[in-house]
Amino acid sequence: MKTKVKSMVRKGISMALIMAASMLMLIGCGGTKISDDFDEEKVKATAQEAIDHLVAGEYEECLALMGEEMQAAISAEALATNMETTAGQKGAFQEYKSSTVVGQKDKDGSEYAVAVIVAGFEKGNITFTVSFDKDMKMTGFWMK
């Protein structure tokens, strides 16, 4: 039993590191107004769609919203472990409390939209930070 718990913790840590690395790549030039290449409402809606999939345990559907690099770096099982660990401490999903979208540029000048969504759960909030490329594929996903 201890081995299974250790494995789950390692997967959760790995997921967190992958997501943190993805976000660090985007932070390079700081947050700004989103590019005209993005529709702010679509960014918010797509981020909430990804979160809805996670809350419903639809990990493959969430993966389908990700870009190729993220799909190669993360598995449905790792998503499940991370979501169950994070949300398991907070209880059932209640509502979306707030959302905002900012623009980001990476070191190469590529533009991204980053949605920060605060979701209310029974025992507290989880903040989801979800980044998208111009093709509206997720390039970063972080929850805390």
Side-chain angles (χ1 to χ4, degrees):
M1 188 63 146
K2 287 183 181 181
T3 304
K4 186 174 182 173
V5 171
K6 285 182 184 179
S7 176
M8 288 176 58
V9 169
R10 284 187 189 129
K11 286 180 184 177
I13 290 170
S14 295
M15 174 74 165
L17 290 174
I18 290 168
M19 290 179 186
S22 296
M23 288 308 300
L24 286 175
M25 286 183 358
L26 295 175
I27 293 176
C29 297
T32 60
K33 181 179 179 284
I34 65 170
S35 162
D36 290 337
D37 294 328
F38 295 97
D39 176 312
E40 184 173 343
E41 291 307 313
K42 184 175 181 178
V43 171
K44 287 180 185 178
T46 306
Q48 287 181 356
E49 177 184 356
I51 296 164
D52 289 344
H53 286 311
L54 291 178
V55 169
E58 300 167 346
Y59 306 110
E60 292 293 337
E61 289 83 348
C62 185
L63 277 174
L65 297 173
M66 296 179 181
E68 289 180 16
E69 279 187 39
M70 280 197 69
Q71 287 182 5
I74 194 73
S75 67
E77 293 80 19
L79 270 178
T81 299
N82 198 17
M83 185 62 186
E84 290 165 7
T85 299
T86 303
Q89 300 168 0
K90 301 290 184 179
F93 173 79
Q94 301 291 307
E95 65 181 335
Y96 289 110
K97 295 197 170 221
S98 66
S99 61
T100 190
V101 177
V102 296
Q104 294 283 334
K105 287 186 182 180
D106 67 10
K107 63 182 177 179
D108 299 323
S110 297
E111 301 218 22
Y112 296 87
V114 180
V116 179
I117 311 286
V118 177
F121 289 75
E122 288 175 321
K123 299 175 188 171
N125 296 332
I126 297 176
T127 301
F128 294 87
T129 305
V130 188
S131 56
F132 296 93
D133 63 16
K134 290 182 181 179
D135 295 325
M136 287 304 296
K137 291 294 186 180
M138 284 193 299
T139 59
F141 189 90
W142 178 258
M143 65 179 103
K144 66 175 185 170

